[in-house]
Amino acid sequence: MRLTLWTVAAGAWPPTDTRWLPFLAGAVRAMDGRDVPTRIEPEVGSLAAVALAVLRSCAPRYEVTSETLIFNETSAAVGHLLPAADAAYVAEYASVLGDAFGLTVAPENVLSVASDIVQDDPLDDAVSALAEKGRDVHRHGRLMLHAVGRFSNPALVALEAIGAAEEESLVGAWATGGPDGERWALAIWRRLDLVIVDAAKAVPLWRHYRLTGLVGPRALAAQRTFDSAVSVPHGPRNQPFGLASQVLTELGLSECHPPRCGQGA
């Protein structure tokens, strides 16, 4: 694995050529031995952490690409090695890689990637994925996200946010936008059911969609429209309906309005 990292860092492949990724991933997965001697667990875990950080830097979080699949499969195979990673060993293994990989192999970043893999928190992953897309997003509690910005369609941004965390069986996201933060929306995903509260205008509108088949929140967000979702009628849209009130309660929310978070919170 170290030889592969050194070879890539030395420029054996052009900067935009990522055909080395399967070679590195294969070397990492070859370390998936359940009989690693205790005395070398820190070295093995640290080297795996460095390699996974390099793979992570090439793998988009929001879009699913071949690089993303390689990273996901590799991290799943050797994630159990990462708790033993040690900052000193990480720094040693990364010492000759900095010119090629920069901050990717900085010990704090390597250990952060390792922590994300071990904890496997979909909302933390969603915040990172949305940051890659240029979104300013943070968490509120265990199951809520909040995107802030100057976007004109907060409902689509809130949908994009829950799409990044759609692996959760229940998740919600506010999006607060407009020149002065006057437009907002709330999207809630409880598997198969999508609830949207859209306050882009003076009176919030409550909508319910049922998502089945291959179309989840992420796929729907990519379409930039709700047209392919099945709308479920509940009477006047300016009032909450039973399911909406239920999922609000399950999220621990007493109201649908977003918290007052400043830009860049």
Side-chain angles (χ1 to χ4, degrees), residues 36-201:
V36 174
T38 303
R39 62 183 175 82
I40 64 167
E41 284 181 351
E43 292 96 319
V44 174
S46 300
L47 183 53
V50 171
L52 285 168
V54 171
L55 292 175
R56 171 80 281 175
S57 70
C58 300
R61 294 174 184 260
Y62 197 88
E63 289 81 13
V64 178
T65 65
S66 59
E67 292 83 1
T68 305
L69 294 175
I70 288 173
F71 172 80
N72 290 343
E73 293 170 2
T74 306
S75 60
V78 300
H80 62 282
L81 301 172
L82 300 179
D86 178 87
Y89 284 118
V90 167
E92 177 184 343
Y93 293 135
S95 61
V96 297
L97 304 176
D99 289 345
F101 297 113
L103 293 177
T104 291
V105 293
E108 59 272 20
N109 182 70
V110 171
L111 294 174
S112 176
V113 171
S115 177
D116 288 345
I117 294 170
V118 172
Q119 294 178 14
D120 191 24
D121 187 322
L123 264 70
D124 278 350
D125 291 343
V127 170
S128 298
L130 293 163
E132 289 181 357
K133 294 176 67 67
R135 295 295 186 199
D136 183 357
V137 182
H138 55 277
R139 290 185 69 156
H140 279 277
R142 192 175 70 84
L143 295 174
M144 293 296 302
L145 298 168
H146 189 186
V148 295
R150 298 177 66 84
F151 36 78
S152 59
N153 194 330
L156 287 179
V157 175
L159 175 64
E160 179 185 66
I162 61 170
E166 66 182 11
E167 293 82 2
E168 281 282 4
S169 57
L170 175 66
V171 63
W174 291 287
T176 305
D180 300 305
E182 70 278 7
R183 301 189 183 101
W184 62 269
L186 169 64
I188 301 173
W189 169 244
R190 189 179 70 175
R191 198 160 301 282
L192 298 188
D193 290 303
L194 172 64
V195 175
I196 300 290
V197 185
D198 189 350
K201 297 182 179 180

